[in-house]
């Protein structure tokens, strides 16, 4: 997995669903969209929608320009056929199952794109996200406010 932090939550994203990582850059706002849809950005000549992952999942906090300068844009793998990138606050490296001491299945009322929650030796909870399911979820697709 690619381990990231968005808001106050730690996430594990399957490497096969993740694409290229870009520094925070010029994102052009789009009017009349959800607050978590930050706008569009030109990444390597392609126009992509930029989604605040923390905001989409309900844990958004206002960000300063300093915080945004330390954030990254994670493109969703082109194989998923979604022209989008996720704003993440921090990249935390790569993780395998050996990095965790225990795990819990998703709660019964968890969104379909939530996978297993893994707990590391320091007690940090890492929520696995299935980006393929997330990218097809109505909450992700309907950006109009």
């Amino acid at each position: 997995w690619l381990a990231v932090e968005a808001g106050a939550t730690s996430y594990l994203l399957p490497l096969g669903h993740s694409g290229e990582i870009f520094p925070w850059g010029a994102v052009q706002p789009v009017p009349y969209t959800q607050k978590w849809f930050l706008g569009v950005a030109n990444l390597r000549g392609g126009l992509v929608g930029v989604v605040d992952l923390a905001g989409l999942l309900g844990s958004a906090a206002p960000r300063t320009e300093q915080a945004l300068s330390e954030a990254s844009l994670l493109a969703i793998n082109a194989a998923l056929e979604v022209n989008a990138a996720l704003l993440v606050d921090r990249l935390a490296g790569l993780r395998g199952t050996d990095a965790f001491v225990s795990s819990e299945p998703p709660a019964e009322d968890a969104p379909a794109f939530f996978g297993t929650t893994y707990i590391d030796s320091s007690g940090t909870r890492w929520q696995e996200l299935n980006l393929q399911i997330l990218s097809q979820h109505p909450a992700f697709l309907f950006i109009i406010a």
Side-chain angles (χ1 to χ4, degrees), residues 5 7 13 20 23 28 34-36 40 48 58 67 78 88 90 93 97 105 107 123 132:
E5 293 175 5
L13 310 176
E20 193 170 354
Q28 298 300 312
Q34 298 287 343
K35 290 181 180 180
W36 50 261
V40 294
V48 300
V88 296
R90 188 174 87 80
T97 53
Q132 184 170 20

Side-chain angles (χ1 to χ4, degrees), residues 51-76:
V51 173
D52 178 355
L53 182 60
L56 174 66
L57 299 179
S59 63
R63 290 186 177 90
T64 63
E65 285 300 317
Q66 174 66 27
L68 282 173
S69 71
E70 297 170 5
S72 298
L73 297 177
L74 172 65
I76 294 177

Side-chain angles (χ1 to χ4, degrees), residues 5-63:
E5 293 175 5
T9 307
S10 301
Y11 296 102
L12 298 171
L13 310 176
L15 286 176
H17 296 176
S18 304
E20 193 170 354
I21 298 167
F22 298 89
W24 171 257
V27 175
Q28 298 300 312
V30 176
Y32 310 111
T33 58
Q34 298 287 343
K35 290 181 180 180
W36 50 261
F37 187 79
L38 301 177
V40 294
N42 180 344
L43 302 180
R44 291 214 190 275
L47 197 60
V48 300
V50 177
V51 173
D52 178 355
L53 182 60
L56 174 66
L57 299 179
S59 63
R63 290 186 177 90

